[in-house]
Coordinates of all heavy atoms in Angstrom, one line a residue:
Y8 N 1.3 -17.0 7.6 CA 0.1 -17.7 7.5 C -0.5 -17.6 6.1 O 0.0 -16.7 5.3 CB -1.0 -17.0 8.4 CG -0.7 -17.3 9.9 CD1 0.2 -16.5 10.6 CD2 -1.4 -18.2 10.6 CE1 0.5 -16.7 11.9 CE2 -1.2 -18.4 11.9 CZ -0.2 -17.7 12.6 OH 0.1 -17.9 13.9
V9 N -1.3 -18.6 5.7 CA -1.9 -18.6 4.4 C -3.5 -18.6 4.6 O -3.9 -19.2 5.7 CB -1.5 -19.8 3.5 CG1 -0.1 -19.6 3.1 CG2 -1.8 -21.1 4.2
L10 N -4.2 -18.1 3.7 CA -5.6 -18.0 3.8 C -6.2 -19.2 3.2 O -5.9 -19.5 2.0 CB -6.2 -16.7 3.2 CG -7.7 -16.5 3.2 CD1 -8.1 -16.2 4.7 CD2 -8.1 -15.4 2.3
I11 N -7.1 -20.0 3.8 CA -7.8 -21.2 3.3 C -9.3 -21.1 3.3 O -9.8 -20.7 4.4 CB -7.3 -22.4 4.1 CG1 -5.8 -22.6 3.9 CG2 -8.0 -23.7 3.5 CD1 -5.1 -23.7 4.7
I12 N -9.9 -21.3 2.2 CA -11.3 -21.4 2.1 C -11.7 -22.8 1.9 O -11.2 -23.5 0.9 CB -11.9 -20.5 1.0 CG1 -11.5 -19.1 1.2 CG2 -13.4 -20.7 0.9 CD1 -11.8 -18.1 0.1
S13 N -12.4 -23.5 2.8 CA -12.6 -24.9 2.7 C -14.2 -25.2 2.7 O -15.0 -24.3 3.2 CB -12.0 -25.7 3.8 OG -12.3 -25.2 5.1
L14 N -14.5 -26.3 2.2 CA -16.0 -26.7 2.0 C -16.2 -27.8 3.1 O -15.5 -28.8 3.2 CB -16.3 -27.2 0.7 CG -17.8 -27.5 0.4 CD1 -18.7 -26.3 0.6 CD2 -17.9 -28.1 -1.1
W15 N -17.4 -27.6 3.8 CA -17.7 -28.6 4.9 C -19.2 -29.1 4.6 O -20.0 -28.3 4.1 CB -17.7 -27.9 6.3 CG -16.2 -27.6 6.6 CD1 -15.5 -26.6 6.1 CD2 -15.4 -28.3 7.5 NE1 -14.3 -26.6 6.7 CE2 -14.2 -27.7 7.6 CE3 -15.6 -29.4 8.3 CZ2 -13.2 -28.0 8.4 CZ3 -14.6 -29.8 9.1 CH2 -13.3 -29.2 9.2
G16 N -19.5 -30.3 5.0 CA -20.8 -30.9 4.8 C -21.3 -31.4 6.1 O -20.5 -31.9 7.0
F17 N -22.6 -31.3 6.3 CA -23.3 -31.8 7.5 C -23.8 -33.2 7.3 O -24.6 -33.4 6.3 CB -24.4 -30.8 7.9 CG -25.0 -31.1 9.2 CD1 -24.2 -31.0 10.4 CD2 -26.4 -31.4 9.4 CE1 -24.7 -31.2 11.7 CE2 -26.8 -31.6 10.7 CZ -26.1 -31.6 11.7
T18 N -23.4 -34.1 8.1 CA -23.8 -35.5 8.0 C -25.2 -35.8 8.7 O -25.7 -36.9 8.6 CB -22.8 -36.4 8.6 OG1 -22.7 -36.2 10.0 CG2 -21.5 -36.3 8.0
G19 N -25.7 -34.8 9.4 CA -26.9 -35.0 10.2 C -26.5 -35.1 11.7 O -27.4 -34.9 12.5
A20 N -25.2 -35.3 11.9 CA -24.8 -35.4 13.3 C -23.6 -34.4 13.5 O -23.4 -34.0 14.6 CB -24.3 -36.9 13.6
E21 N -22.8 -34.2 12.5 CA -21.6 -33.4 12.6 C -21.2 -32.8 11.3 O -21.6 -33.2 10.2 CB -20.4 -34.2 13.3 CG -19.9 -35.3 12.4 CD -18.8 -36.1 12.9 OE1 -18.1 -35.6 13.7 OE2 -18.7 -37.3 12.6
W22 N -20.3 -31.7 11.4 CA -19.8 -31.1 10.2 C -18.5 -31.8 9.9 O -17.6 -32.0 10.8 CB -19.6 -29.6 10.5 CG -20.8 -28.8 10.4 CD1 -21.5 -28.4 11.5 CD2 -21.5 -28.4 9.3 NE1 -22.6 -27.7 11.1 CE2 -22.7 -27.7 9.8 CE3 -21.3 -28.5 8.0 CZ2 -23.6 -27.1 8.9 CZ3 -22.2 -27.9 7.1 CH2 -23.3 -27.2 7.5
V23 N -18.3 -32.2 8.6 CA -17.0 -32.9 8.2 C -16.5 -32.2 7.0 O -17.2 -31.7 6.2 CB -17.2 -34.3 8.0 CG1 -17.6 -35.1 9.2 CG2 -18.3 -34.5 6.8
Y24 N -15.1 -32.1 6.9 CA -14.5 -31.5 5.8 C -14.7 -32.4 4.5 O -14.5 -33.6 4.7 CB -13.0 -31.4 6.1 CG -12.1 -31.0 5.0 CD1 -12.3 -29.8 4.3 CD2 -11.0 -31.8 4.5 CE1 -11.5 -29.3 3.3 CE2 -10.3 -31.4 3.4 CZ -10.4 -30.2 2.8 OH -9.7 -29.9 1.8
V25 N -15.1 -31.9 3.5 CA -15.4 -32.7 2.3 C -14.2 -32.9 1.3 O -14.4 -33.7 0.4 CB -16.6 -32.2 1.5 CG1 -17.9 -32.1 2.3 CG2 -16.4 -30.9 0.9
G26 N -13.1 -32.2 1.6 CA -11.9 -32.5 0.8 C -11.7 -31.4 -0.3 O -10.8 -31.6 -1.0
N27 N -12.4 -30.3 -0.3 CA -12.2 -29.3 -1.3 C -11.8 -28.0 -0.6 O -12.5 -27.6 0.4 CB -13.5 -29.0 -2.1 CG -13.9 -30.2 -2.9 OD1 -13.0 -31.0 -3.3 ND2 -15.2 -30.3 -3.2
Q28 N -10.8 -27.3 -1.1 CA -10.4 -26.1 -0.5 C -9.6 -25.2 -1.5 O -9.1 -25.7 -2.6 CB -9.4 -26.3 0.7 CG -8.1 -27.0 0.4 CD -7.2 -27.3 1.6 OE1 -7.7 -27.1 2.7 NE2 -6.0 -27.7 1.4
I29 N -9.6 -23.9 -1.2 CA -8.8 -23.0 -2.0 C -7.8 -22.4 -1.1 O -8.1 -22.0 0.0 CB -9.7 -21.9 -2.6 CG1 -10.8 -22.5 -3.5 CG2 -8.9 -20.8 -3.3 CD1 -11.9 -21.5 -3.9
V30 N -6.5 -22.3 -1.5 CA -5.5 -21.8 -0.7 C -4.9 -20.5 -1.4 O -4.4 -20.7 -2.5 CB -4.4 -22.8 -0.4 CG1 -3.3 -22.2 0.5 CG2 -5.0 -24.0 0.3
Y31 N -4.9 -19.4 -0.7 CA -4.1 -18.2 -1.2 C -2.7 -18.4 -0.7 O -2.4 -18.3 0.5 CB -4.8 -17.0 -0.6 CG -4.2 -15.7 -1.2 CD1 -4.4 -15.2 -2.4 CD2 -3.3 -14.9 -0.4 CE1 -3.9 -14.1 -3.0 CE2 -2.7 -13.8 -1.0 CZ -3.0 -13.4 -2.2 OH -2.5 -12.2 -2.7
Q32 N -1.8 -18.7 -1.7 CA -0.5 -19.2 -1.3 C 0.5 -18.1 -1.0 O 1.7 -18.5 -0.8 CB 0.0 -20.1 -2.5 CG -0.8 -21.3 -2.6 CD -0.3 -22.3 -3.7 OE1 0.9 -22.4 -3.9 NE2 -1.2 -22.8 -4.5
E33 N 0.1 -16.9 -1.0 CA 1.1 -15.8 -0.6 C 1.1 -15.7 0.9 O 0.2 -15.3 1.6 CB 0.6 -14.5 -1.2 CG 1.6 -13.4 -1.0 CD 2.8 -13.6 -1.8 OE1 2.7 -14.1 -3.0 OE2 3.9 -13.1 -1.4
P34 N 2.3 -16.2 1.5 CA 2.4 -16.1 3.0 C 2.3 -14.7 3.5 O 2.8 -13.7 2.8 CB 3.8 -16.7 3.3 CG 4.1 -17.4 2.0 CD 3.4 -16.8 0.9
M35 N 1.7 -14.5 4.7 CA 1.6 -13.1 5.3 C 1.5 -13.3 6.8 O 1.4 -14.4 7.3 CB 0.3 -12.5 4.8 CG -1.0 -13.2 5.1 SD -2.4 -12.7 4.2 CE -2.5 -13.9 2.9
I36 N 1.7 -12.2 7.5 CA 1.6 -12.2 8.9 C 0.1 -12.4 9.3 O -0.8 -12.2 8.6 CB 2.2 -11.0 9.6 CG1 1.4 -9.7 9.2 CG2 3.7 -10.8 9.3 CD1 1.8 -8.4 9.9
K37 N 0.0 -12.9 10.5 CA -1.4 -13.3 11.0 C -2.4 -12.2 10.9 O -3.5 -12.4 10.5 CB -1.3 -13.8 12.4 CG -2.6 -14.4 12.9 CD -2.5 -15.1 14.3 CE -3.8 -15.7 14.6 NZ -3.7 -16.3 16.0
Q38 N -2.0 -11.0 11.3 CA -2.9 -9.9 11.3 C -3.3 -9.6 9.8 O -4.5 -9.2 9.6 CB -2.3 -8.6 11.9 CG -2.0 -8.7 13.4 CD -0.8 -9.5 13.7 OE1 0.0 -9.9 12.8 NE2 -0.5 -9.6 15.0
E39 N -2.4 -9.6 8.9 CA -2.8 -9.4 7.5 C -3.8 -10.5 7.0 O -4.8 -10.2 6.3 CB -1.6 -9.4 6.5 CG -0.7 -8.2 6.6 CD 0.5 -8.4 5.8 OE1 1.2 -9.5 5.8 OE2 0.9 -7.4 5.1
C40 N -3.5 -11.7 7.3 CA -4.4 -12.8 6.9 C -5.9 -12.6 7.5 O -6.8 -12.9 6.8 CB -3.8 -14.1 7.4 SG -4.7 -15.5 6.7
E41 N -5.9 -12.2 8.8 CA -7.2 -12.1 9.5 C -8.0 -10.9 8.8 O -9.2 -11.0 8.6 CB -7.0 -11.8 11.0 CG -6.5 -13.0 11.7 CD -6.1 -12.8 13.1 OE1 -5.9 -11.7 13.5 OE2 -6.0 -13.8 13.9
V42 N -7.3 -9.8 8.4 CA -8.0 -8.8 7.7 C -8.5 -9.2 6.5 O -9.7 -9.0 6.0 CB -7.1 -7.5 7.5 CG1 -7.6 -6.5 6.6 CG2 -6.8 -6.9 8.9
M43 N -7.7 -10.0 5.7 CA -8.2 -10.5 4.4 C -9.4 -11.5 4.6 O -10.3 -11.4 3.8 CB -7.0 -11.3 3.7 CG -7.4 -11.7 2.3 SD -6.1 -12.5 1.4 CE -5.1 -11.1 0.9
A44 N -9.3 -12.4 5.6 CA -10.5 -13.2 5.8 C -11.7 -12.5 6.2 O -12.8 -12.9 5.8 CB -10.1 -14.2 7.0
D45 N -11.6 -11.4 6.9 CA -12.8 -10.6 7.3 C -13.5 -9.8 6.2 O -14.5 -9.3 6.3 CB -12.4 -9.6 8.5 CG -12.2 -10.3 9.8 OD1 -12.5 -11.5 9.9 OD2 -11.4 -9.7 10.6
N46 N -12.7 -9.7 5.0 CA -13.2 -8.9 3.9 C -14.1 -9.7 3.0 O -14.5 -9.2 2.0 CB -12.0 -8.4 3.1 CG -11.4 -7.1 3.8 OD1 -12.2 -6.4 4.4 ND2 -10.2 -6.9 3.7
W47 N -14.4 -10.9 3.3 CA -15.3 -11.8 2.5 C -16.7 -11.7 3.1 O -16.9 -11.7 4.3 CB -14.9 -13.2 2.5 CG -13.6 -13.5 1.7 CD1 -12.3 -13.2 2.1 CD2 -13.5 -13.9 0.4 NE1 -11.4 -13.5 1.1 CE2 -12.1 -13.9 0.0 CE3 -14.4 -14.3 -0.5 CZ2 -11.7 -14.4 -1.2 CZ3 -13.9 -14.8 -1.8 CH2 -12.5 -14.7 -2.1
S48 N -17.7 -11.9 2.2 CA -19.1 -12.1 2.6 C -19.5 -13.4 2.2 O -19.2 -13.9 1.1 CB -20.0 -11.0 1.9 OG -19.7 -9.7 2.3
K49 N -20.2 -14.1 3.1 CA -20.7 -15.5 2.8 C -22.2 -15.5 2.7 O -22.8 -14.9 3.5 CB -20.3 -16.5 3.9 CG -18.8 -16.7 4.0 CD -18.4 -17.9 4.9 CE -18.7 -17.7 6.4 NZ -18.2 -18.8 7.2
Y50 N -22.7 -16.2 1.6 CA -24.1 -16.4 1.5 C -24.3 -17.9 1.4 O -24.0 -18.6 0.4 CB -24.6 -15.7 0.2 CG -24.3 -14.3 0.2 CD1 -23.2 -13.7 -0.4 CD2 -25.1 -13.3 0.9 CE1 -22.8 -12.4 -0.4 CE2 -24.9 -12.0 0.9 CZ -23.8 -11.5 0.3 OH -23.5 -10.2 0.3
E51 N -24.7 -18.5 2.5 CA -24.8 -20.0 2.6 C -26.4 -20.3 2.6 O -27.0 -20.1 3.7 CB -24.1 -20.5 3.8 CG -22.6 -20.2 3.6 CD -21.8 -20.6 4.8 OE1 -22.3 -20.4 6.0 OE2 -20.7 -21.2 4.7
L52 N -26.9 -20.8 1.6 CA -28.3 -21.0 1.5 C -28.7 -22.5 1.6 O -29.8 -22.9 1.7 CB -28.9 -20.5 0.3 CG -28.7 -18.9 0.0 CD1 -29.2 -18.4 -1.3 CD2 -29.3 -18.1 1.2
N53 N -27.7 -23.4 1.5 CA -27.8 -24.8 1.6 C -27.5 -25.2 3.1 O -26.3 -25.1 3.5 CB -26.9 -25.5 0.6 CG -27.2 -27.0 0.5 OD1 -27.4 -27.6 1.6 ND2 -27.2 -27.5 -0.6
E54 N -28.4 -25.8 3.8 CA -28.2 -26.1 5.2 C -27.2 -27.3 5.4 O -26.8 -27.6 6.5 CB -29.5 -26.5 5.9 CG -30.2 -27.6 5.4 CD -31.6 -27.9 5.9 OE1 -31.7 -28.1 7.1 OE2 -32.6 -27.7 5.2
F55 N -26.9 -28.0 4.4 CA -26.0 -29.2 4.4 C -24.6 -28.9 4.1 O -23.7 -29.7 4.3 CB -26.6 -30.3 3.6 CG -27.9 -30.7 4.0 CD1 -29.0 -30.3 3.3 CD2 -28.1 -31.4 5.2 CE1 -30.3 -30.8 3.7 CE2 -29.4 -31.8 5.7 CZ -30.4 -31.4 4.9

Side-chain angles (χ1 to χ4, degrees):
Y8 291 78
V9 292
L10 182 71
I11 298 177
I12 301 172
S13 57
L14 183 62
W15 294 76
F17 189 60
T18 65
E21 64 181 333
W22 286 97
V23 294
Y24 172 64
V25 300
N27 295 335
Q28 65 183 8
I29 298 170
V30 180
Y31 186 73
Q32 296 184 39
E33 186 69 35
M35 60 194 98
I36 63 173
K37 187 173 185 180
Q38 292 81 2
E39 289 175 314
C40 189
E41 289 171 345
V42 167
M43 185 178 281
D45 289 341
N46 283 325
W47 288 82
S48 295
K49 293 194 286 186
Y50 302 97
E51 299 174 317
L52 303 176
N53 187 320
E54 63 185 292
F55 299 105

